[in-house]
Amino acid sequence: MVTTAELLAALQAIDKRAERTADEYVVATYVDDPSLVGALAASDNGFISGRRGTGKTHALKYLAETRRAIGDTVVYIDMEQDIGSTEGRYVDTALSLEERATRLVVDVLSIVHDAFLEAAFNNRADASIELLERMMDHFQEVVVRREVTQSGTLRDSEKVEDRTSIGLNIRNPTVGSDTGTTTGRTTEQTVTGSGQVRHRISFGGVSGLMRQFLQGFTSKRFWILLDEWSGVPLDLQPFLAEMLRKLFFGIPQVTVRIGAIPHRSNWRIPGEQGQYLGVEVGAELFSLLDLDEFVVFQARTGIEQARRSQSFFQSLIFRHLNYALSTMGFPPLPDTSAMMSLLFTQVTALNELVRAAEGVPRDALNILGRAALRSGGQKISVDHVRQAAGQLYLTSKATQLNGVPRARDLLEKINADVIGLRKARAFLLDRDQTNHPLIQKLVDDRLLHIIKQGYSSKDEPGKRYDVLQIDYGCYVHLLGTASAPTSLVDTDVDDNQALEALYGDLYGGVDVPEDDYRAIRRAVLNLPAILQALETDSGTPAEDLR
């Protein structure tokens, strides 16, 4: 049996990022909840969404390894690392949109082609190899084109001229006259460009050869997994989506899976008369798994929420620790109960860790590792977790705003309003205002967390709000003091009542008192007023606070 000191040492050996880990590590440490695995293995083309750190890469790599193990062909592409720097050729403003999009599409298609070629070689499929080699000849024909509707104008004109002349010759005085008519016709044609600019991708002979290869190859299923979709510039994403739709969506044995951040994804460019470039979410591409919803564990009561979250994070830590122990030559932990008794002073320390992580597995592992260092070889306590969370906030999260002072100032204003005045941890924000660039920056950096989207109360059926929670690190230093937040959204409604009002629709609806709904509506944040205050403080126009 391992000791507490050995477990604390093993925590430092845990890899926090899935892209840095070996394939066997990914499979061994994945929390294979049946609902997660079922959504991942579905044959529909779809995407996995979630904030940074919620496990999208881990999920896709787990899917890749388990599918390869049963004989499927898998193409895994990290869109930030495998196709070159997005700060270079794909974002270069000196290049046209058409050229940037063409380069991106060809680069991704080339990686898919090479992976299929390797699979064909491994299976000694000569006919398939020949098709793929012929396909290379057509890659130069793959191009994004720009089209403008043309209209023509034809103009006709006719000229009629009457003339009469009288001449006088001094040497030979005579008088004469000359009369006549001249006619002429001129035709003028003018062509002008008008209408909406449209883009399309020409694939040449690639599409037919790709279909022949996929239909003739012996692999049971082909998986094309695109991770870090949000690393692709927003204006280029629809072109890549169009390529996937045109080449792969119509082939039954191909499944496309994408890992994306919701507000950093642009799936299509709408056109005239219902036409579009890209894919249509809900009809051609499906939202299969929202990891934000899964790890936050929406529940109707605080007790239920804590139980479900505790179970998930217990399993997560247990799996990571056992793999680390195996690499260090120590025996594995028999179960989560043994881990809990050796690692934590009491169960409240784990509960505090879950609360501090805000539903982000990567943050949970980071905080736990830092808490282990602070424990001095002893079991981890609530105080160790709080100290580690505060350190993580100051040295990692808060520093991400150093280059964006307006976002930092906005966060301070929100903290003063929500935590300082209301003693709450969360607030409601109009859905349109959630898209403000500064709010999105704070969400990206995990300083604000969207815990529910599209909330509406019975008396405001047309009004939609998002519920955002302030990061634990913003107020951890206040815990245990009179200034600590005491409620989720309002001091007049306890957390269980707030959860029932926010998530009761998940359970067939509940009877929530109107007073509770009124208290929740009081939690709406007045973002325009806060931006106006920032404008007054800084002298910068509100529209420039971006």
Side-chain angles (χ1 to χ4, degrees):
M1 187 73 171
V2 296
T3 65
T4 295
E6 290 166 343
L7 276 188
L8 295 176
L11 283 173
Q12 307 311 314
I14 292 176
D15 281 316
K16 310 303 188 296
R17 298 186 67 92
E19 59 266 32
R20 292 168 44 87
T21 60
D23 296 337
E24 65 272 12
Y25 183 93
V26 169
V27 176
T29 58
Y30 192 70
V31 181
D32 52 352
D33 182 278
S35 60
L36 283 175
V37 175
L40 286 174
S43 59
D44 290 326
N45 298 308
F47 62 92
I48 303 166
S49 61
R51 293 165 291 168
R52 291 186 174 94
T54 50
K56 299 183 296 297
T57 295
H58 204 154
L60 288 176
K61 286 198 167 186
Y62 173 83
L63 176 63
E65 293 310 308
T66 54
R67 295 303 98 182
R68 287 189 183 111
I70 64 173
D72 289 353
T73 298
V74 179
V75 182
Y76 175 89
I77 305 175
D78 185 321
M79 299 303 298
E80 287 190 334
Q81 297 185 17
D82 295 340
I83 62 168
S85 170
T86 57
E87 287 78 13
R89 50 188 171 176
Y90 304 130
V91 184
D92 188 353
T93 55
L95 302 177
S96 67
L97 176 65
E98 293 78 12
E99 184 174 353
R100 291 162 52 220
T102 298
R103 290 184 179 189
L104 173 65
V105 169
V106 172
D107 284 352
V108 174
L109 188 57
S110 297
I111 294 176
V112 174
H113 171 274
D114 292 346
F116 285 169
L117 186 61
E118 181 181 354
F121 270 115
N122 292 338
N123 288 273
R124 301 177 183 272
D126 294 340
S128 297
I129 293 172
E130 193 271 334
L131 284 172
L132 290 169
E133 288 180 341
R134 286 168 52 197
M135 195 184 304
M136 285 293 292
D137 297 334
H138 294 281
F139 271 27
Q140 61 185 358
E141 301 171 9
V142 177
V143 62
V144 174
R145 299 187 184 279
R146 173 188 177 102
E147 296 178 341
V148 181
T149 304
Q150 300 290 325
S151 63
T153 301
L154 181 65
R155 297 178 182 172
D156 290 339
S157 62
E158 182 174 334
K159 180 180 180 182
V160 178
E161 180 182 356
D162 293 326
R163 66 181 187 277
T164 301
S165 63
I166 300 175
L168 177 63
N169 191 319
I170 298 177
R171 293 183 180 182
N172 186 16
T174 61
V175 177
S177 66
D178 179 22
T179 61
T181 301
T182 302
T183 63
R185 183 182 183 89
T186 302
T187 300
E188 178 183 337
Q189 184 171 4
T190 303
V191 178
T192 59
S194 63
Q196 186 176 5
V197 175
R198 297 183 300 175
H199 291 89
R200 67 182 181 91
I201 305 179
S202 301
F203 288 109
V206 171
S207 179
L209 292 171
M210 180 68 77
R211 184 175 290 271
Q212 291 180 50
F213 165 77
L214 292 170
Q215 291 177 343
F217 198 64
T218 57
S219 182
K220 291 182 294 184
R221 179 159 292 279
F222 292 86
W223 296 83
I224 299 176
L225 312 181
L226 277 67
D227 196 9
E228 303 294 351
W229 177 269
S230 305
V232 177
L234 281 171
D235 59 344
L236 301 187
Q237 290 179 15
F239 295 95
L240 187 55
E242 174 81 358
M243 184 269 282
L244 295 172
R245 177 171 68 94
K246 288 288 184 65
L247 293 186
F248 303 112
F249 278 22
I251 303 175
Q253 67 265 42
V254 177
T255 296
V256 176
R257 191 74 79 245
I258 299 171
I261 299 173
H263 59 274
R264 295 298 183 205
S265 300
N266 180 21
W267 299 111
R268 69 173 189 164
I269 300 173
E272 299 174 340
Q273 300 178 349
Q275 299 172 336
Y276 59 89
L277 182 142
V279 296
E280 186 173 357
V281 173
E284 298 161 324
L285 188 72
F286 300 93
S287 177
L288 300 176
L289 182 61
D290 185 342
L291 289 172
D292 279 333
E293 288 188 358
F294 187 84
V295 297
V296 169
F297 298 105
Q298 296 172 353
R300 194 165 52 188
T301 67
I303 295 175
E304 179 185 358
Q305 190 177 55
R307 177 183 57 78
R308 295 172 63 187
S309 299
Q310 183 186 100
S311 175
F312 174 82
F313 282 97
Q314 266 189 344
S315 181
L316 176 77
I317 298 166
F318 176 76
R319 287 172 175 270
H320 278 273
L321 272 177
N322 265 352
Y323 187 87
L325 289 170
S326 69
T327 63
M328 299 168 67
F330 293 119
L333 293 161
D335 50 42
T336 56
S337 297
M339 178 193 74
M340 290 295 297
S341 64
L342 287 169
L343 194 58
F344 297 103
T345 57
Q346 51 194 342
V347 70
T348 52
L350 174 65
N351 293 340
E352 196 71 15
L353 174 66
V354 173
R355 181 182 174 189
E358 302 285 6
V360 180
R362 185 187 299 164
D363 286 350
L365 295 175
N366 271 318
I367 294 170
L368 189 60
R370 291 170 183 259
L373 292 175
R374 290 178 169 273
S375 69
Q378 304 300 311
K379 295 180 182 180
I380 296 172
S381 67
V382 170
D383 283 342
H384 296 143
V385 171
R386 290 180 176 177
Q387 293 167 12
Q391 183 190 40
L392 176 66
Y393 173 78
L394 291 174
T395 61
S396 178
K397 292 186 176 182
T399 58
Q400 295 179 90
L401 300 181
N402 286 347
V404 194
R406 293 187 181 94
R408 183 184 61 236
D409 294 343
L410 175 60
L411 180 63
E412 291 176 356
K413 292 283 188 183
I414 292 174
N415 288 343
D417 185 305
V418 179
I419 298 175
L421 296 179
R422 308 181 194 182
K423 290 188 177 299
R425 306 187 306 274
F427 59 92
L428 276 66
L429 190 62
D430 186 288
R431 293 214 71 182
D432 293 336
Q433 296 174 14
T434 305
N435 294 322
H436 191 283
L438 293 181
I439 294 292
Q440 292 300 329
K441 170 64 178 173
L442 296 175
V443 171
D444 280 348
D445 292 340
R446 306 192 307 284
L447 294 162
L448 296 178
H449 307 273
I450 300 176
I451 62 174
K452 184 174 177 62
Q453 293 181 312
Y455 164 77
S456 66
S457 59
K458 294 178 181 178
D459 62 341
E460 289 185 301
K463 193 70 173 177
R464 295 282 178 175
Y465 298 97
D466 289 335
V467 185
L468 288 83
Q469 185 161 290
I470 297 172
D471 186 69
Y472 178 92
C474 292
Y475 58 84
V476 62
H477 62 289
L478 300 175
L479 297 178
T481 73
S483 301
T486 57
S487 65
L488 181 64
V489 293
D490 193 280
T491 54
D492 290 340
V493 54
D494 66 35
D495 285 5
N496 284 339
Q497 291 172 313
L499 289 170
E500 284 193 350
L502 293 174
Y503 300 122
D505 56 317
L506 299 175
Y507 305 91
V510 293
D511 186 14
V512 179
E514 181 57 30
D515 287 345
D516 292 347
Y517 279 124
R518 271 198 292 268
I520 288 177
R521 285 197 298 276
R522 286 199 299 271
V524 175
L525 185 77
N526 189 343
L527 183 62
I530 290 179
L531 293 175
Q532 186 64 43
L534 288 178
E535 175 186 355
T536 301
D537 294 344
S538 65
T540 303
E543 60 269 17
D544 293 336
L545 289 171
R546 294 182 175 270

